[in-house]
Amino acid sequence: MTAKKAVVLLSGGLDSATVLAMARDQGYECYALGFDYGQRHRSELAAAQRVATAGGAVEHKVVCLDLRAIGGSALTDDSIAVPEDAPGGIPVTYVPARNTVFLSIALGWAEVLGAQDIFVGVNAVDYSGYPDCRPEYIEAFERMANLATRAGVEGQRLHVRAPLMQMSKADIVRRGTELGVDYSLTVSCYQADDAGAACGRCDSCRLRAAGFAEAGLADPTVYANG
């Protein structure tokens, strides 16, 4: 029998690395999809390649987009500082419409591949307040996907899988560790340097460190300050 295929959004961070391992564990042939979108933390692109290779992805595709052209986020506009205190509300690290853009391209690739499943590492428990990381959003995008594609219209129902949605960061770390994820390959920091060393101060660094601490596991993150 032909193995079932899935497109897995892979950023190079902890969550997406875990999702790749989970999809593989469920028997999918995984096609990893990342984006060079002008992000401040470009070392995540090298991390994604490492994770894709180690995680057994059949293919790793990187699509180039210029989201700096519209800006509006600390991750795509160098004039906006990455916050180093706990933000309230939707933080400036939110990239406008990013998940909608990424999932739309993943949807197109899934149609080309004949894949009916897209995996994404969004999370509604330990997350940074992003509106496109909520279950309502994922459900709405899946409905749209089945209205807007030939596959959906012809009865090949498409699914957007968000297996981390209701998991804490500690639960994610534990599950990934069970599946053999090497988290030393990943980069989570919003302002990591070119070598992938983390600042230890941004929201993403804090969430990651707290997750490993709660899980009782050592975080292999390398910090820029040593």
Side-chain angles (χ1 to χ4, degrees), residues 73-145:
S73 168
L75 302 189
T76 56
D77 184 341
D78 292 336
S79 70
I80 303 174
V82 173
E84 295 183 353
D85 53 357
I90 298 173
V92 296
T93 50
Y94 162 69
V95 180
R98 181 178 61 178
N99 282 348
T100 301
V101 172
F102 289 1
L103 281 169
S104 295
I105 295 173
L107 178 60
W109 197 24
E111 275 212 285
V112 170
L113 292 169
Q116 292 181 253
D117 298 274
I118 298 168
F119 281 77
V120 60
V122 296
N123 178 264
V125 179
D126 284 346
Y127 83 125
S128 298
Y130 300 150
D132 53 1
C133 287
R134 297 175 297 163
E136 307 96 294
Y137 166 75
I138 294 299
E139 291 163 7
F141 189 93
E142 183 177 288
R143 288 197 302 274
M144 182 278 297

Side-chain angles (χ1 to χ4, degrees), residues 5-19:
K5 297 176 181 179
V7 174
V8 180
L9 291 182
L10 186 68
S11 69
L14 181 154
D15 290 343
S16 65
T18 306
V19 168

Side-chain angles (χ1 to χ4, degrees), residues 1 139 201 211:
M1 292 180 62
E139 291 163 7
R201 301 181 300 276

